[in-house]
Short mmCIF file of all heavy atoms in Angstrom, two decimals:
data_model
loop_
_atom_site.label_atom_id
_atom_site.label_comp_id
_atom_site.label_asym_id
_atom_site.label_seq_id
_atom_site.Cartn_x
_atom_site.Cartn_y
_atom_site.Cartn_z
N GLU A 154 -114.97 120.53 95.63
CA GLU A 154 -116.00 120.19 96.62
C GLU A 154 -117.00 119.18 96.07
O GLU A 154 -117.44 118.28 96.79
CB GLU A 154 -116.74 121.47 97.05
CG GLU A 154 -115.87 122.40 97.90
CD GLU A 154 -116.53 123.75 98.12
OE1 GLU A 154 -117.70 123.92 97.69
OE2 GLU A 154 -115.88 124.63 98.73
N TYR A 155 -117.34 119.31 94.79
CA TYR A 155 -118.28 118.37 94.18
C TYR A 155 -117.68 116.96 94.12
O TYR A 155 -118.36 115.97 94.43
CB TYR A 155 -118.63 118.85 92.77
CG TYR A 155 -119.58 117.94 92.04
CD1 TYR A 155 -120.94 117.95 92.31
CD2 TYR A 155 -119.10 117.05 91.07
CE1 TYR A 155 -121.82 117.11 91.63
CE2 TYR A 155 -119.96 116.20 90.39
CZ TYR A 155 -121.32 116.24 90.67
OH TYR A 155 -122.18 115.39 90.01
N ILE A 156 -116.41 116.88 93.73
CA ILE A 156 -115.74 115.58 93.67
C ILE A 156 -115.62 114.98 95.07
O ILE A 156 -115.83 113.77 95.26
CB ILE A 156 -114.35 115.72 93.02
CG1 ILE A 156 -114.50 116.10 91.54
CG2 ILE A 156 -113.54 114.43 93.15
CD1 ILE A 156 -113.20 116.48 90.86
N GLN A 157 -115.29 115.82 96.04
CA GLN A 157 -115.18 115.33 97.42
C GLN A 157 -116.50 114.73 97.88
O GLN A 157 -116.54 113.63 98.47
CB GLN A 157 -114.79 116.48 98.35
CG GLN A 157 -114.69 116.06 99.82
CD GLN A 157 -114.63 117.25 100.77
OE1 GLN A 157 -115.09 118.34 100.43
NE2 GLN A 157 -114.07 117.04 101.95
N LYS A 158 -117.59 115.41 97.59
CA LYS A 158 -118.91 114.96 98.04
C LYS A 158 -119.36 113.71 97.31
O LYS A 158 -119.84 112.75 97.93
CB LYS A 158 -119.92 116.09 97.84
CG LYS A 158 -121.33 115.74 98.26
CD LYS A 158 -122.27 116.91 98.02
CE LYS A 158 -123.71 116.55 98.40
NZ LYS A 158 -124.64 117.69 98.15
N THR A 159 -119.22 113.69 95.99
CA THR A 159 -119.75 112.58 95.21
C THR A 159 -118.87 111.33 95.28
O THR A 159 -119.36 110.21 95.10
CB THR A 159 -119.93 112.97 93.74
OG1 THR A 159 -118.67 113.44 93.22
CG2 THR A 159 -120.98 114.07 93.60
N ARG A 160 -117.58 111.52 95.57
CA ARG A 160 -116.67 110.38 95.63
C ARG A 160 -116.30 110.00 97.07
O ARG A 160 -115.55 109.05 97.28
CB ARG A 160 -115.38 110.70 94.85
CG ARG A 160 -115.58 110.98 93.37
CD ARG A 160 -116.02 109.73 92.63
NE ARG A 160 -116.04 109.94 91.19
CZ ARG A 160 -115.03 109.66 90.37
NH1 ARG A 160 -113.92 109.14 90.87
NH2 ARG A 160 -115.14 109.88 89.09
N ASP A 161 -116.80 110.77 98.03
CA ASP A 161 -116.52 110.54 99.44
C ASP A 161 -115.01 110.53 99.69
O ASP A 161 -114.43 109.58 100.23
CB ASP A 161 -117.13 109.21 99.90
CG ASP A 161 -117.13 109.07 101.42
OD1 ASP A 161 -117.08 110.10 102.11
OD2 ASP A 161 -117.16 107.92 101.91
N LEU A 162 -114.36 111.64 99.31
CA LEU A 162 -112.91 111.77 99.43
C LEU A 162 -112.57 112.94 100.35
O LEU A 162 -113.41 113.80 100.64
CB LEU A 162 -112.28 112.03 98.06
CG LEU A 162 -112.47 110.96 96.98
CD1 LEU A 162 -111.95 111.49 95.65
CD2 LEU A 162 -111.75 109.68 97.37
N SER A 163 -111.33 112.98 100.79
CA SER A 163 -110.84 114.17 101.48
C SER A 163 -110.64 115.28 100.45
O SER A 163 -110.58 115.01 99.24
CB SER A 163 -109.51 113.87 102.18
OG SER A 163 -108.49 113.66 101.21
N LEU A 164 -110.53 116.52 100.91
CA LEU A 164 -110.32 117.62 99.97
C LEU A 164 -109.02 117.45 99.19
O LEU A 164 -108.95 117.73 97.99
CB LEU A 164 -110.32 118.96 100.72
CG LEU A 164 -111.66 119.66 100.89
CD1 LEU A 164 -111.50 120.93 101.68
CD2 LEU A 164 -112.30 119.95 99.52
N ASP A 165 -107.97 116.98 99.87
CA ASP A 165 -106.69 116.78 99.20
C ASP A 165 -106.80 115.72 98.11
O ASP A 165 -106.29 115.89 96.99
CB ASP A 165 -105.61 116.37 100.21
CG ASP A 165 -105.12 117.53 101.05
OD1 ASP A 165 -105.41 118.70 100.66
OD2 ASP A 165 -104.47 117.30 102.08
N ASP A 166 -107.47 114.60 98.44
CA ASP A 166 -107.62 113.53 97.45
C ASP A 166 -108.53 113.97 96.30
O ASP A 166 -108.31 113.60 95.14
CB ASP A 166 -108.19 112.28 98.10
CG ASP A 166 -107.16 111.55 98.96
OD1 ASP A 166 -105.95 111.80 98.78
OD2 ASP A 166 -107.57 110.74 99.82
#
Side-chain angles (χ1 to χ4, degrees):
E154 290 170 5
Y155 179 78
I156 293 171
Q157 179 194 23
K158 179 180 178 181
T159 56
R160 298 293 187 94
D161 193 23
L162 299 172
S163 68
L164 271 178
D165 285 345
D166 286 341

